């Protein structure tokens, strides 16, 4: 019994229709439809989907699994499959680099643990491709049953659908949970809307009953039936339909000859029992094998693997499929399996499965649960089933293909929950360990942590849990937490692991592996001494002659920890460890360990020799490419891009690394690339580009809730504010970071934060506000802090301005300029001109004027891409040139004044004008309209009035006409033209006209 029209949902239907229409016009959005089971969420969304199809939309559908716990990425994989079938599917190449990620999401390609943002962007690109003409509708049902990774991708879609021809309609229950939190958070930031369905009122309940019985008018429905529906259904459409079905099927409600209905029996029933009875009555009409099959299926959940249910019921496949057809005709299960899920069927409603399981005695239910768990494990152990002849072979370590194309973490999870229901908690924990391992292989890291935590919870209450199983679970959880970057729990879990291994009497190598995992976690958390303690414990366990593989792995992580420790010999010790790890790893064939060690070796070399560091990072990229390690390849490309930023402030390799990271879905490295791009753009004085890369960094951090990356974004905001001399914004950003760090050094956050934020930003901001004393104090403090971070020595960016400022003030001499510090500064593009000008100042102070002038000009070579550094040198060094009488200080000050005026750094511009006046040089007044003069003409000294004369000349006016336009005398016009010829090096009137027209054409 169902209605042919939607009843009581007109406003909600109109809202969804408008969302679809707007998406067709390029204004995509997301709508979450909330409500209790049976309230009509699916029916409402189906109406919207049918309307969308009529207007030319492509519709993609997916449903979350309710079997046991959530199935990783199931609804998205199902939706993607529906989008890749039939006419209108994307052609090869339409999705570019995102095609492999879609294949991995659907389980059609090997998994490599790619971060979720890559999968999310791949789904977004698919929606855009399918909807580029008519539009695309993504329907995701039962989102409350979705796993954490699916919800993360949905969250990404809600933020990125606006502006696209696509709309997301998702259904979920209205109770508390992660899915509801997501929907409400998206609604609060106005990237989605929530639509909560209420129960039907009496009038709509009556109308629904009439429609179900084939009438338009509720007057055709017996009053007793309506009274019972009002009392029992409480306005839940599903219950209305089920009760009517039961009444008609039981012969208590009979259609009269004509179009009326009459009551022939009792309509009384208890509220919950009435729905259960309506379901169970149909169940009992099935043959005994069909009842057994549905009872076995019900303990598996609303969605169930047919083969497992059949095995538990003792049926062969032909019999099971025949009984499923009978159940489908009785409206107990859906009509059949889908192309994406050939091994699965679904109960028509969750209440159907509940009614069946509630009828079972507890002992019956427990027995069925354990039998189902046995069947799942047996299927995994025995390999391909005869029923699956012709299907592709499964990959090593992957469960038996009972669920179509997906990996088996969902079946392991289901088996675990069945064991819990059957009272076997220890066995469930072992199965959850396998489920977590499979989830990691699929890249569903958040889901893996959830699974393993659930297993850990079960072992705490299971006295019979084998120590080896508990240790395996803890090892898997430790490794997964390191992959996610959430290492706060690692110390406690590590202690627990070692306690289990010790009590069990595990071999030393097994205990050492546990400490190696703790050392890696400590490196991730930048807890250097804790990590080194873990390395020492591992070495003690391995003895004097550890196996080469263990020694290489320990040396690689130890190099990372030592380099960042407070040990006086850390650079040399870390380099020796890294070199040893590289040699051993290459000898025994451990490419990932080799890449890790090469990365650390590059860090060790960078402070002393950027060219040697580049060779090491190039070797890292080559190794990663040869051994198919995409994440390490991107890491190497990123480090090469960082070297370019240091040596040339170039961005080409940084942009290439960012693109590779984005295509691979390596979200953290995308964020690191944006951080370095922001710094490069600031050094190049490219304000808009810096703001854009900083915005991308913040967006990534906020979307994935990465707290430390969010703080890095705040640091980039501080640097951008400093480059504009904006003290207020700088201090606000620093205050946020200081509060978050709670007294810790920012170096604990990302290595060189103390010097690049507290040092460069504060000192440069003070220089741009003409506060040299404050800048000196800030640079001095940054230098003190930096000496505790030797791995950044020479690449921090503030050392050049600091050296020139001290040299001008007489606080630095030849001892510094002829030492190793100056050698390092000459390798850093930003610092190089400051070092050269420091040399020029000292030469000028010794009376060697010609040498000083030459050194200053040479220092300016190659500074066109770093104009801020160039003009800070002119501003700081010109005062020494004026005092000591060398070079072209007036010309330098004019250039600096013009630059700082154009960029809005007015305090420095005013200081340059004051110095020009003190030097006796005339300073032109800035008339109204001065800022409209092209930069080249302003630098040549062209005034606002002269530019007005030039523009009129370009329009073909003669001197008399120009004079009349500007209320000047012809003689004054002639003087302005003479000045223009002189300032612009033009030979005559015709050349001036050509120049004027060139500017008028925007050249």
């Amino acid at each position: 019994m169902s209605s042919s029209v939607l009843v009581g949902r007109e406003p909600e239907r109109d809202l969804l229709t408008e969302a679809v229409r707007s998406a067709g016009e390029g204004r995509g959005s997301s709508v979450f439809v909330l409500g209790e089971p049976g309230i009509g969420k699916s029916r409402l969304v189906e109406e919207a989907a049918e309307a969308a199809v009529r207007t030319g939309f492509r519709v993609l559908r997916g449903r979350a699994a309710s079997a046991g716990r959530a199935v990783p990425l199931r609804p998205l994989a199902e939706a993607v499959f529906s989008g890749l079938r039939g006419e209108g599917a994307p052609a090869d190449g339409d999705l570019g680099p995102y095609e492999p990620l879609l294949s991995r999401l659907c389980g059609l390609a090997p998994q490599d643990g790619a971060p979720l943002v890559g999968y999310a962007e791949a789904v977004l690109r698919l929606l855009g491709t399918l909807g580029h003409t008519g539009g695309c509708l993504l329907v995701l049902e039962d989102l409350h049953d979705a796993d954490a990774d699916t919800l993360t991708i949905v969250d990404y879609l809600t933020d990125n659908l606006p502006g696209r021809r696509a709309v997301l309609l998702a259904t979920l229950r209205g109770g508390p949970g992660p899915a509801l939190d997501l929907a409400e958070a998206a609604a609060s930031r106005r990237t989605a809307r929530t639509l909560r369905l209420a129960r039907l009122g009496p009038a709509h309940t009556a109308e629904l009953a009439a429609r179900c019985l084939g009438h338009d008018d509720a007057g055709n429905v017996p009053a007793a039936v309506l009274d019972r529906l009002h009392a029992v259904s409480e306005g839940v459409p599903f219950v209305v339909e089920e009760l009517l079905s039961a009444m008609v099927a039981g012969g208590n409600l009979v259609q009269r000859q004509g179009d009326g209905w009459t009551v022939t029996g009792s309509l009384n029933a208890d509220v919950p029992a009435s729905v259960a009875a309506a379901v169970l009555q149909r169940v009992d009409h099935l043959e005994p094998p069909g009842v057994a099959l549905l009872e076995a299926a019900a303990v598996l959940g609303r969605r169930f693997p047919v083969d497992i249910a059949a095995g538990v019921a003792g049926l062969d496949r032909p019999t099971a499929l025949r009984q499923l057809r009978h159940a489908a005709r009785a409206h107990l299960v859906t009509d059949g399996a889908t192309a994406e899920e050939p091994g699965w069927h679904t109960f028509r409603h969750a209440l159907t499965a509940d009614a069946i399981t509630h009828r079972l005695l507890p002992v019956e239910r427990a027995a069925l649960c354990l039998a189902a768990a046995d069947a799942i494990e047996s299927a995994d152990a025995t390999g391909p089933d005869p029923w699956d002849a012709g299907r592709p072979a499964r990959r090593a370590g992957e469960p038996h293909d009972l669920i179509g194309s997906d990996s088996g973490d969902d079946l392991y999870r289901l088996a675990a929950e069945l064991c819990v229901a059957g009272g076997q908690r220890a066995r469930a924990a072992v199965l959850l360990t396998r489920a977590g391992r499979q989830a990691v292989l699929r890249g569903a890291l958040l889901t893996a942590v959830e699974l393993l935590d659930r297993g850990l919870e079960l072992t705490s209450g299971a006295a019979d849990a084998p120590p080896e199983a508990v240790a395996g679970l803890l090892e898997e959880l430790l490794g997964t937490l390191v992959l996610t970057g959430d290492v706060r729990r690692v110390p406690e879990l590590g202690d627990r692991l070692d306690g289990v291994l010790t009590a069990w009497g595990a071999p030393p190598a097994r205990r050492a592996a546990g400490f190696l995992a703790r050392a890696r976690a400590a490196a991730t958390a930048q807890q250097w001494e804790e990590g080194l303690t873990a390395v020492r414990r591992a070495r003690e366990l391995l003895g004097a002659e550890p196996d080469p593989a263990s020694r290489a792995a320990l040396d690689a992580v130890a190099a990372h920890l030592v380099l960042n420790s407070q040990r006086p010999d850390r650079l040399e010790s870390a380099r020796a460890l890294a070199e040893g790890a590289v040699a051993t790893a290459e000898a025994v064939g451990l490419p990932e360990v080799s890449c890790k060690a090469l990365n650390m070796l590059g860090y060790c070399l960078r402070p002393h020799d950027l060219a040697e560091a580049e060779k090491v990072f190039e070797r890292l990229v080559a190794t990663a490419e040869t051994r198919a390690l995409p994440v390490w390849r991107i890491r190497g490309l990123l480090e090469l891009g960082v070297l370019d930023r240091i040596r040339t402030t170039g961005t080409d390799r940084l942009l290439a690394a960012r693109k590779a990271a984005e295509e691979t879905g390596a979200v953290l490295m995308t964020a690191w690339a944006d951080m370095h791009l922001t710094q490069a753009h600031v050094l190049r004085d490219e304000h808009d580009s810096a703001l854009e890369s900083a915005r991308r960094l913040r967006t990534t951090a906020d979307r994935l809730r990465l707290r430390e990356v969010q703080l890095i974004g705040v640091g980039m905001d501080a640097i951008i504010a400093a480059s504009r001399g904006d003290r207020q914004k700088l201090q606000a950003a620093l205050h946020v970071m200081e509060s978050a760090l709670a007294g810790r050094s920012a170096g604990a956050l990302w290595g060189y934060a103390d010097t690049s934020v507290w040092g460069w930003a504060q000192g440069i901001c003070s220089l741009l506000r003409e506060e040299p004393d404050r800048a000196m104090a800030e640079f001095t403090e940054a230098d003190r802090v930096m000496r505790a971070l030797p791995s950044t020595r020479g690449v921090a960016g503030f050392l050049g301005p600091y050296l020139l400022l001290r040299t001008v003030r007489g606080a630095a001499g030849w001892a510094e300029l002829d030492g190793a510090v100056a050698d390092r500064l000459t390798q850093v593009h930003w610092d190089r001109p400051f070092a050269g000008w420091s040399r020029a100042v000292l030469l000028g102070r010794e009376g060697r004027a010609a040498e000083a002038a030459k050194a200053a000009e040479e220092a300016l070579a190659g500074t066109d891409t770093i104009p801020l550094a160039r003009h800070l040198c002119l501003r700081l060094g010109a005062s020494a040139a004026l005092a000591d009488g060398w070079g072209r200080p007036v010309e330098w000050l004019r250039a600096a004044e013009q630059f700082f005026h154009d960029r809005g750094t007015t305090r420095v511009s005013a200081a340059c004008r004051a110095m020009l006046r003190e030097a006796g040089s005339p300073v032109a007044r800035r008339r109204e309209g001065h800022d409209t003069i092209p930069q080249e003409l302003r630098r040549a000294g062209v005034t606002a009035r002269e530019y007005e004369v030039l523009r009129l000349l370009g329009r073909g006016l003669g001197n008399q006409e120009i004079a009349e336009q500007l209320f000047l005398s012809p003689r004054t016009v002639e003087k302005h033209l003479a000045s223009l010829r002189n300032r612009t090096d033009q030979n005559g009137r015709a050349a001036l006209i050509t120049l004027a027209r060139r500017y008028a054409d925007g050249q």
Side-chain angles (χ1 to χ4, degrees), residues 777-815:
E778 288 162 342
F779 284 149
T780 300
E781 173 62 14
D783 185 57
R784 182 191 67 77
V785 173
M786 188 193 65
R787 294 180 187 279
L789 298 167
S791 61
T792 68
R793 187 74 180 174
V795 297
F798 78 91
L799 291 174
Y802 182 38
L803 176 61
L804 180 55
L805 188 60
R806 287 186 297 120
T807 303
V808 169
R809 292 180 162 219
W814 287 111

Side-chain angles (χ1 to χ4, degrees), residues 376-663:
I376 291 172
E377 286 198 276
S378 175
D380 179 37
T382 56
D385 193 283
W387 295 352
D388 295 333
R391 292 187 186 179
R394 57 184 174 145
R395 295 189 292 270
E398 191 174 85
H400 181 46
D401 186 14
L402 295 165
I403 56 171
S405 304
D406 275 1
S407 295
D409 44 316
D410 51 350
L411 277 180
Y412 282 141
R413 181 201 314 248
L414 175 57
E417 294 304 321
L418 291 168
C419 288
V420 172
Q424 297 182 355
R425 296 167 65 89
R427 179 184 173 192
V430 173
L431 289 165
L432 286 169
T433 303
R434 298 181 192 172
R437 189 175 301 122
Q438 290 295 326
V440 169
L441 291 176
R442 286 169 55 80
L445 299 181
L446 299 178
T447 299
V449 172
E450 177 189 345
L451 289 166
L452 295 166
D453 273 336
R454 170 69 170 151
L456 199 60
E457 174 189 337
L458 293 175
T459 61
S460 63
D464 59 336
E468 184 173 6
V470 177
L473 193 154
L474 286 166
E475 288 166 340
E476 198 70 40
L477 181 56
L478 280 168
T480 306
L481 289 172
V482 172
L483 288 175
T484 64
D486 181 12
V487 295
R488 291 167 296 179
R489 300 167 54 202
V490 167
E492 182 268 329
L493 292 174
D495 288 341
R496 184 171 173 181
L497 171 61
D498 194 54
V500 171
L501 291 172
T502 302
W504 171 37
R510 181 78 177 268
R511 291 184 61 197
F515 281 104
L516 178 60
R518 295 175 68 173
R520 288 174 176 149
T524 300
Q526 289 141 2
Q527 297 168 342
W528 317 120
E529 291 303 324
E530 292 86 339
L532 288 170
T533 298
V535 170
R536 277 196 304 274
R537 294 291 304 278
R539 293 193 193 280
E540 290 169 0
L541 288 165
L542 291 171
E545 296 293 333
D547 64 281
S550 297
R551 184 174 70 249
L554 280 171
D555 285 349
V557 72
H560 187 177
L561 295 162
V562 169
L563 180 63
N564 292 278
S565 70
Q566 294 299 311
R567 302 183 177 190
D569 63 339
R570 46 190 171 268
L571 263 178
E572 295 77 10
S573 298
R575 179 175 178 177
L577 285 166
E579 289 174 338
V582 171
T584 305
E586 290 181 345
V588 298
L590 296 173
E592 288 194 72
V593 175
S594 178
C595 288
K596 168 71 175 175
L598 285 168
N599 194 52
M600 298 317 304
L601 181 58
Y603 285 160
C604 294
L605 292 170
R606 192 167 66 184
H608 297 302
D609 194 324
L610 296 179
E612 287 300 313
E614 181 174 29
K615 293 178 183 178
V616 170
F617 288 130
E618 287 174 342
R619 185 175 165 191
L620 165 59
V621 172
T623 300
E625 288 176 344
T626 302
R627 297 305 186 98
L629 299 172
V631 174
W632 277 112
R633 173 181 174 272
I634 296 166
R635 186 67 175 269
L637 290 173
L638 182 58
E639 296 301 341
L640 290 171
V642 173
L643 290 180
D644 288 347
R645 175 180 67 77
I646 293 169
R647 293 195 299 181
T648 66
T649 61
T651 58
D652 289 348
R653 286 203 284 197
L654 275 176
L655 288 169
R658 189 191 186 284
K659 181 180 179 183
E662 188 174 37
E663 290 173 351

